[in-house]
Amino acid sequence: MDGHAPGATGNTSAGHVIPRSGWKAVNPRSRTEMKGPAQTVIVHHTALWSCVQSRDSLSQLAHIQNMHMHERGFDDIGYNFLISGDGTVYEGRGWGVVGAHAKAHNFDSVGIAFMGNFNDEMPTCASLTALQGLLHVGQLSGHFRNDFVLVGHRDVGKTECPGEHLYSALPKLKDQLKKHY
């Protein structure tokens, strides 16, 4: 959809997206392309350990992909993108690919997971800035509808996700998005 093949890097205002090859993702069993731009961006947390160093992030990415594919029976890691505490953005399924992150909402959404447990910790400024950059790129590249909605996973499912501290940061992000889009 944006000229980038899955695994290709794309720039965000917070840096670049680490492609799947950069974290040694295994190939998905299958991929389903989205039929058009996403209506919703759903913010998640991994509810695992905090990742502020690359080695922690790489370990967690492999762990999540393994868990999603082997324990949950997904075709791949469920999220489209993941963001670490240092603001690094990692490609999960990537742009234009249906995720497996929010039942009944996967076909018209992009799932972005913050790496850590945000019931216990606060999201970093770097990770929130990275989300804004990723949303900006997604909007400019046509991956989201002009009237896209930013929500927490708990807004569309029975869960505590994305954790109280991250969820409480979403209204400010939504306000900032309204000013820019």
Side-chain angles (χ1 to χ4, degrees):
M1 281 174 92
D2 68 350
H4 290 295
T9 59
N11 291 327
T12 69
S13 65
H16 68 282
V17 175
I18 303 297
R20 293 172 60 88
S21 61
W23 58 272
K24 297 180 176 49
V26 300
N27 290 328
R29 287 187 209 122
S30 69
R31 293 169 36 100
T32 302
E33 300 292 323
M34 292 181 73
K35 303 234 184 287
Q39 170 60 45
T40 309
V41 175
I42 302 174
V43 176
H44 301 264
H45 71 159
T46 62
L48 297 170
W49 61 92
S50 177
C51 294
V52 290
Q53 294 186 9
S54 160
R55 71 175 178 270
D56 297 328
S57 298
L58 298 178
S59 173
Q60 188 170 134
L61 288 159
H63 173 77
I64 293 168
Q65 186 180 39
N66 183 60
M67 178 180 59
H68 283 183
M69 293 179 78
H70 299 289
E71 294 175 25
R72 296 187 182 175
F74 297 171
D75 291 329
D76 195 2
I77 195 166
Y79 310 112
N80 298 89
F81 296 94
L82 298 96
I83 301 175
S84 67
D86 67 359
T88 303
V89 178
Y90 295 91
E91 179 185 34
R93 292 188 182 208
W95 296 119
V97 180
V98 174
H101 55 87
K103 281 186 183 177
H105 298 278
N106 292 319
F107 285 90
D108 67 350
S109 69
V110 170
I112 302 173
F114 281 61
M115 299 170 79
N117 186 329
F118 297 96
N119 281 319
D120 301 332
E121 60 191 275
M122 300 294 290
T124 64
C125 290
S127 62
L128 294 170
T129 299
L131 174 61
Q132 286 179 308
L134 188 62
L135 294 174
H136 183 71
V137 168
Q139 183 71 31
L140 290 177
S141 303
H143 296 294
F144 310 135
R145 290 178 34 179
N146 288 334
D147 59 347
F148 82 93
V149 181
L150 178 67
V151 300
H153 187 192
R154 67 173 66 178
D155 294 319
V156 298
K158 291 186 178 188
T159 179
E160 291 184 5
C161 182
E164 192 56 40
H165 297 299
L166 180 52
Y167 188 75
S168 67
L170 293 182
K172 183 176 179 182
L173 281 173
K174 291 176 190 179
D175 287 344
Q176 291 171 342
L177 290 172
K178 287 179 188 174
K179 292 176 187 172
H180 291 99
Y181 301 113

